[in-house]
Amino acid sequence: MTTLLLLAALVPQQLLITTPRGQVSVPVMTERGAAVAAVLLTPALGLSASIDGSAVRVTLGGRAFLFTLGSPFVRCDSSTYPLVDAPYTARDTLFLPLQWLTDQVPRLFAGRYHWDPALARLDEVPPPVAPVASTVTAAPNPLTGLRLTHTIVVDPGHGGVDPGNPGLHFPRGLTEKDITLGIGRLLRAELVRRGLNVVLTRATDTLIDLADRPLFCHTSCDLFVSIHVNSMPAGRRQTKINGVETYFLSDAKTEDQKRVAQMENDALRFETATTIDGPLAFILRDLQLNEYLRESARLAELVQGRVAGIHPGENRGVQQGPFLVLAAARRPAILVEAGFATNQGDGAFLASSDGQRKIASAIADGIVAYLLEFERKLAVGTGGGAR
Ligand SMILES: [Zn+2]
């Protein structure tokens, strides 16, 4: 990860950059006697920088800004613009005038970025979903109240040679992979009915590598939702434990959380050799620096609440675990453990078409609730965040 520092004559205590894919708060510090803001450059925010000699290339929102160290100008789309100060580097860190981000970026992107000096916030406004004239006054979806288009990646766990957990209480030789696919397809239908775009990581009984699943979450993707079925190892509690829990990516805190993460990451043994420690540890550190964890936790809370409301088993709450499938999504990402295949009541519910439909509908409701909150935060369309 690169760190970019922005020079400013007049800086707030901190900056906030918000995008449809998340937000980053930016601490302010003092450098060379002037106050500067430090921006963590995460690719998810569409901001990156590279330096070659004295040439500096900064990419933001898909456009390249070309700076030269020591020269108070920036080039963009073959035009040159003056800066209040020249960019420089110190201690492997690039310093740019804050004016570039707060003044030039909003102007050059013509409405796509908005700098709010009172809130010290740079907002990326999502691209219009319809012709601009109708977008401003776009009516909310009558079913959901949502105003923007959203794309959800739905990931039915396991598949193909990886059956997932066989459980004890699935009829007719069903395994976890069949249940997750059933719920995943129904979830797609429920989300489409609510006016959302959906990408399934698999629509058939096939195996997708864990590390490849998040790649379905492209730039237009808002959320990543993985669906699984829980199981207890043999022992006294095996058939007793029941209920639903929703995970977001973090370090496992309890033995139970470790067990579930280990079980789901176990699909790795069906794949080409991958070690979980190296890349996951790195991605986890990376993720902990940004806001996706908080967003994922909120999404998990809303989905868990809805699913627990219709589930015959216990409400086991929101959990945290180091899931490889969530690690690379770079979007709010959750994993729903929709019940225990080792429990009779849960097993029957999960295997029934009525149970799968109820679970899918509840997950869809939780997703819509999250997106409504998210749009309210962006104050989409109304300028005041009404609704
Ligand atoms: Zn699973």
Side-chain angles (χ1 to χ4, degrees):
M1 179 179 298
T2 320
T3 302
L4 166 67
L5 296 180
L6 297 160
L7 256 185
L10 225 162
V11 282
Q13 291 292 303
Q14 66 166 21
L15 278 167
L16 191 68
I17 300 181
T18 74
T19 80
R21 298 161 311 277
Q23 54 182 3
V24 167
S25 63
V26 179
V28 173
M29 60 190 73
T30 303
E31 174 72 21
R32 283 192 185 177
V36 293
V39 181
L40 289 171
L41 295 189
T42 63
L45 288 171
L47 185 59
S48 64
S50 63
I51 303 177
D52 182 12
S54 65
V56 177
R57 183 188 174 88
V58 176
T59 311
L60 175 66
R63 278 167 96 168
F65 293 86
L66 307 173
F67 300 87
T68 305
L69 295 177
S71 163
F73 296 96
V74 58
R75 283 182 70 76
C76 179
D77 295 340
S78 63
S79 294
T80 303
Y81 306 92
L83 298 168
V84 292
D85 213 335
Y88 65 92
T89 57
R91 299 187 312 274
D92 296 320
T93 299
L94 173 64
F95 292 80
L96 298 174
L98 188 62
Q99 165 223 12
W100 166 69
L101 196 62
T102 61
D103 186 335
Q104 286 172 337
V105 164
R107 233 168 338 124
L108 287 169
F109 278 93
R112 183 167 156 201
Y113 286 89
H114 173 72
W115 170 248
D116 186 335
L119 295 174
R121 218 173 70 181
L122 184 75
D123 294 321
E124 183 190 337
V125 182
V129 300
V132 175
S134 66
T135 304
V136 180
T137 54
N141 180 302
L143 199 60
T144 61
L146 291 169
R147 289 169 181 270
L148 299 172
T149 53
H150 297 277
T151 301
I152 319 298
V153 171
V154 173
D155 174 46
H158 312 277
V161 295
D162 171 17
N165 88 72
L168 299 171
H169 292 287
F170 288 150
R172 305 183 302 278
L174 285 185
T175 57
E176 179 182 1
K177 70 174 180 179
D178 307 305
I179 307 296
T180 60
L181 183 57
I183 295 172
R185 282 168 162 167
L186 290 166
L187 176 55
R188 174 174 59 180
E190 290 290 339
L191 291 171
V192 167
R193 194 168 69 79
R194 287 162 175 78
L196 298 162
N197 300 323
V198 180
V199 178
L200 273 180
T201 57
R202 67 179 182 99
T204 59
D205 183 16
T206 179
L207 180 66
I208 314 286
D209 280 5
L210 282 185
D212 290 342
R213 290 177 189 253
L215 302 182
F216 287 85
C217 213
H218 298 294
T219 44
S220 62
C221 155
D222 296 290
L223 304 175
F224 182 86
V225 179
S226 194
I227 297 162
H228 287 262
V229 174
N230 223 326
S231 75
M232 287 299 288
R236 200 167 41 83
R237 297 196 309 156
Q238 184 178 30
T239 60
K240 286 204 179 64
I241 301 297
N242 63 71
V244 57
E245 54 197 24
T246 304
Y247 281 79
F248 65 97
L249 182 77
S250 181
D251 287 318
K253 296 229 164 22
T254 69
E255 282 308 311
D256 240 21
Q257 291 168 350
K258 273 182 205 150
R259 171 186 60 79
V260 176
Q262 207 158 37
M263 185 173 74
E264 302 302 3
N265 290 333
D266 200 35
L268 283 175
R269 70 195 155 91
F270 295 99
E271 299 169 3
T272 45
T274 315
T275 55
I276 187 152
D277 290 341
L280 183 59
F282 171 77
I283 292 162
L284 264 175
R285 273 198 303 279
D286 190 354
L287 277 173
Q288 279 160 353
L289 292 172
N290 66 39
E291 300 288 325
Y292 290 112
L293 284 184
R294 206 183 61 187
E295 292 296 316
S296 298
R298 183 60 184 149
L299 173 64
E301 192 181 337
L302 289 165
V303 167
Q304 173 66 22
R306 302 300 164 104
V307 181
I310 54 87
H311 202 283
E314 263 181 65
N315 180 354
R316 295 172 57 86
V318 170
Q319 308 281 345
Q320 311 179 21
F323 292 95
L324 186 61
V325 72
L326 301 182
R330 296 198 169 278
R331 299 288 186 281
I334 59 169
L335 186 146
V336 181
E337 291 283 357
F340 282 79
T342 40
N343 175 265
Q344 195 163 8
D346 276 13
F349 185 67
L350 289 166
S352 72
S353 56
D354 187 49
Q356 292 184 8
R357 193 187 50 74
K358 280 182 176 159
I359 291 169
S361 178
I363 294 174
D365 285 344
I367 289 171
V368 166
Y370 170 82
L371 291 172
L372 279 171
E373 272 193 13
F374 186 71
E375 286 195 358
R376 236 172 267 138
K377 269 194 272 185
L378 290 177
V380 172
T382 63
R387 262 209 74 91

mmCIF file of all heavy atoms in Angstrom, residues 203-220:
data_model
loop_
_atom_site.group_PDB
_atom_site.id
_atom_site.type_symbol
_atom_site.label_atom_id
_atom_site.label_comp_id
_atom_site.label_asym_id
_atom_site.label_seq_id
_atom_site.Cartn_x
_atom_site.Cartn_y
_atom_site.Cartn_z
ATOM 1 N N ALA A 203 -24.045 -20.964 -11.047
ATOM 2 C CA ALA A 203 -25.476 -21.221 -11.189
ATOM 3 C C ALA A 203 -25.724 -22.709 -11.345
ATOM 4 O O ALA A 203 -26.853 -23.156 -11.458
ATOM 5 C CB ALA A 203 -26.034 -20.462 -12.389
ATOM 6 N N THR A 204 -24.628 -23.473 -11.360
ATOM 7 C CA THR A 204 -24.746 -24.921 -11.513
ATOM 8 C C THR A 204 -23.851 -25.601 -10.487
ATOM 9 O O THR A 204 -23.185 -24.946 -9.704
ATOM 10 C CB THR A 204 -24.288 -25.363 -12.921
ATOM 11 O OG1 THR A 204 -22.922 -24.957 -13.090
ATOM 12 C CG2 THR A 204 -25.145 -24.740 -14.002
ATOM 13 N N ASP A 205 -23.840 -26.946 -10.539
ATOM 14 C CA ASP A 205 -23.026 -27.715 -9.597
ATOM 15 C C ASP A 205 -21.582 -27.759 -10.076
ATOM 16 O O ASP A 205 -21.125 -28.742 -10.636
ATOM 17 C CB ASP A 205 -23.597 -29.131 -9.470
ATOM 18 C CG ASP A 205 -22.828 -29.947 -8.446
ATOM 19 O OD1 ASP A 205 -22.085 -29.341 -7.645
ATOM 20 O OD2 ASP A 205 -22.969 -31.178 -8.455
ATOM 21 N N THR A 206 -20.874 -26.668 -9.885
ATOM 22 C CA THR A 206 -19.490 -26.604 -10.339
ATOM 23 C C THR A 206 -18.632 -25.964 -9.261
ATOM 24 O O THR A 206 -19.146 -25.219 -8.419
ATOM 25 C CB THR A 206 -19.398 -25.797 -11.652
ATOM 26 O OG1 THR A 206 -18.036 -25.734 -12.054
ATOM 27 C CG2 THR A 206 -19.895 -24.380 -11.464
ATOM 28 N N LEU A 207 -17.334 -26.246 -9.272
ATOM 29 C CA LEU A 207 -16.457 -25.699 -8.234
ATOM 30 C C LEU A 207 -15.742 -24.453 -8.735
ATOM 31 O O LEU A 207 -15.100 -24.465 -9.772
ATOM 32 C CB LEU A 207 -15.413 -26.744 -7.804
ATOM 33 C CG LEU A 207 -14.442 -26.260 -6.712
ATOM 34 C CD1 LEU A 207 -15.178 -26.011 -5.402
ATOM 35 C CD2 LEU A 207 -13.317 -27.257 -6.489
ATOM 36 N N ILE A 208 -15.887 -23.378 -7.986
ATOM 37 C CA ILE A 208 -15.139 -22.142 -8.255
ATOM 38 C C ILE A 208 -14.130 -21.991 -7.125
ATOM 39 O O ILE A 208 -14.493 -22.089 -5.964
ATOM 40 C CB ILE A 208 -16.069 -20.905 -8.241
ATOM 41 C CG1 ILE A 208 -17.350 -21.138 -9.041
ATOM 42 C CG2 ILE A 208 -15.324 -19.673 -8.706
ATOM 43 C CD1 ILE A 208 -17.192 -21.118 -10.517
ATOM 44 N N ASP A 209 -12.869 -21.761 -7.462
ATOM 45 C CA ASP A 209 -11.853 -21.590 -6.424
ATOM 46 C C ASP A 209 -12.248 -20.466 -5.467
ATOM 47 O O ASP A 209 -12.764 -19.430 -5.890
ATOM 48 C CB ASP A 209 -10.491 -21.247 -7.055
ATOM 49 C CG ASP A 209 -9.788 -22.488 -7.581
ATOM 50 O OD1 ASP A 209 -10.402 -23.576 -7.536
ATOM 51 O OD2 ASP A 209 -8.639 -22.369 -8.036
ATOM 52 N N LEU A 210 -11.967 -20.682 -4.197
ATOM 53 C CA LEU A 210 -12.289 -19.669 -3.180
ATOM 54 C C LEU A 210 -11.730 -18.308 -3.557
ATOM 55 O O LEU A 210 -12.409 -17.291 -3.457
ATOM 56 C CB LEU A 210 -11.705 -20.084 -1.824
ATOM 57 C CG LEU A 210 -12.459 -21.145 -1.028
ATOM 58 C CD1 LEU A 210 -11.787 -21.320 0.323
ATOM 59 C CD2 LEU A 210 -13.910 -20.773 -0.860
ATOM 60 N N ALA A 211 -10.478 -18.312 -3.997
ATOM 61 C CA ALA A 211 -9.819 -17.036 -4.281
ATOM 62 C C ALA A 211 -10.410 -16.352 -5.505
ATOM 63 O O ALA A 211 -10.291 -15.138 -5.663
ATOM 64 C CB ALA A 211 -8.323 -17.254 -4.470
ATOM 65 N N ASP A 212 -11.059 -17.126 -6.394
ATOM 66 C CA ASP A 212 -11.633 -16.544 -7.605
ATOM 67 C C ASP A 212 -13.031 -15.978 -7.371
ATOM 68 O O ASP A 212 -13.502 -15.136 -8.130
ATOM 69 C CB ASP A 212 -11.714 -17.587 -8.721
ATOM 70 C CG ASP A 212 -10.327 -17.946 -9.247
ATOM 71 O OD1 ASP A 212 -9.397 -17.160 -9.005
ATOM 72 O OD2 ASP A 212 -10.187 -19.007 -9.869
ATOM 73 N N ARG A 213 -13.701 -16.458 -6.332
ATOM 74 C CA ARG A 213 -15.098 -16.050 -6.128
ATOM 75 C C ARG A 213 -15.273 -14.541 -5.985
ATOM 76 O O ARG A 213 -16.164 -13.957 -6.593
ATOM 77 C CB ARG A 213 -15.693 -16.798 -4.928
ATOM 78 C CG ARG A 213 -15.890 -18.283 -5.215
ATOM 79 C CD ARG A 213 -16.417 -19.050 -4.008
ATOM 80 N NE ARG A 213 -16.384 -20.495 -4.247
ATOM 81 C CZ ARG A 213 -17.463 -21.249 -4.484
ATOM 82 N NH1 ARG A 213 -18.655 -20.686 -4.528
ATOM 83 N NH2 ARG A 213 -17.356 -22.538 -4.686
ATOM 84 N N PRO A 214 -14.404 -13.886 -5.183
ATOM 85 C CA PRO A 214 -14.576 -12.429 -5.052
ATOM 86 C C PRO A 214 -14.322 -11.677 -6.351
ATOM 87 O O PRO A 214 -14.743 -10.537 -6.484
ATOM 88 C CB PRO A 214 -13.534 -12.043 -3.994
ATOM 89 C CG PRO A 214 -13.238 -13.302 -3.275
ATOM 90 C CD PRO A 214 -13.350 -14.391 -4.296
ATOM 91 N N LEU A 215 -13.636 -12.298 -7.321
ATOM 92 C CA LEU A 215 -13.351 -11.607 -8.578
ATOM 93 C C LEU A 215 -14.624 -11.315 -9.361
ATOM 94 O O LEU A 215 -14.637 -10.486 -10.264
ATOM 95 C CB LEU A 215 -12.378 -12.432 -9.440
ATOM 96 C CG LEU A 215 -11.032 -12.753 -8.783
ATOM 97 C CD1 LEU A 215 -10.147 -13.526 -9.734
ATOM 98 C CD2 LEU A 215 -10.331 -11.482 -8.314
ATOM 99 N N PHE A 216 -15.704 -12.014 -9.004
ATOM 100 C CA PHE A 216 -16.991 -11.713 -9.630
ATOM 101 C C PHE A 216 -17.471 -10.320 -9.226
ATOM 102 O O PHE A 216 -18.358 -9.754 -9.829
ATOM 103 C CB PHE A 216 -18.044 -12.755 -9.232
ATOM 104 C CG PHE A 216 -17.839 -14.085 -9.911
ATOM 105 C CD1 PHE A 216 -16.968 -15.028 -9.395
ATOM 106 C CD2 PHE A 216 -18.521 -14.382 -11.076
ATOM 107 C CE1 PHE A 216 -16.778 -16.251 -10.014
ATOM 108 C CE2 PHE A 216 -18.344 -15.602 -11.704
ATOM 109 C CZ PHE A 216 -17.467 -16.534 -11.174
ATOM 110 N N CYS A 217 -16.899 -9.817 -8.140
ATOM 111 C CA CYS A 217 -17.272 -8.496 -7.649
ATOM 112 C C CYS A 217 -16.417 -7.462 -8.380
ATOM 113 O O CYS A 217 -15.328 -7.120 -7.955
ATOM 114 C CB CYS A 217 -17.021 -8.435 -6.133
ATOM 115 S SG CYS A 217 -18.177 -7.413 -5.233
ATOM 116 N N HIS A 218 -16.889 -6.994 -9.531
ATOM 117 C CA HIS A 218 -16.148 -6.017 -10.331
ATOM 118 C C HIS A 218 -16.429 -4.610 -9.820
ATOM 119 O O HIS A 218 -17.069 -4.438 -8.803
ATOM 120 C CB HIS A 218 -16.543 -6.137 -11.805
ATOM 121 C CG HIS A 218 -16.222 -7.474 -12.382
ATOM 122 N ND1 HIS A 218 -14.939 -7.923 -12.534
ATOM 123 C CD2 HIS A 218 -17.029 -8.469 -12.819
ATOM 124 C CE1 HIS A 218 -14.963 -9.142 -13.056
ATOM 125 N NE2 HIS A 218 -16.222 -9.489 -13.232
ATOM 126 N N THR A 219 -16.000 -3.625 -10.588
ATOM 127 C CA THR A 219 -16.158 -2.244 -10.137
ATOM 128 C C THR A 219 -17.615 -1.872 -9.898
ATOM 129 O O THR A 219 -17.915 -1.054 -9.057
ATOM 130 C CB THR A 219 -15.572 -1.264 -11.170
ATOM 131 O OG1 THR A 219 -15.993 -1.682 -12.460
ATOM 132 C CG2 THR A 219 -14.072 -1.212 -11.089
ATOM 133 N N SER A 220 -18.531 -2.478 -10.646
ATOM 134 C CA SER A 220 -19.931 -2.108 -10.496
ATOM 135 C C SER A 220 -20.599 -2.847 -9.342
ATOM 136 O O SER A 220 -21.749 -2.582 -9.025
ATOM 137 C CB SER A 220 -20.690 -2.395 -11.787
ATOM 138 O OG SER A 220 -20.630 -3.776 -12.061
#
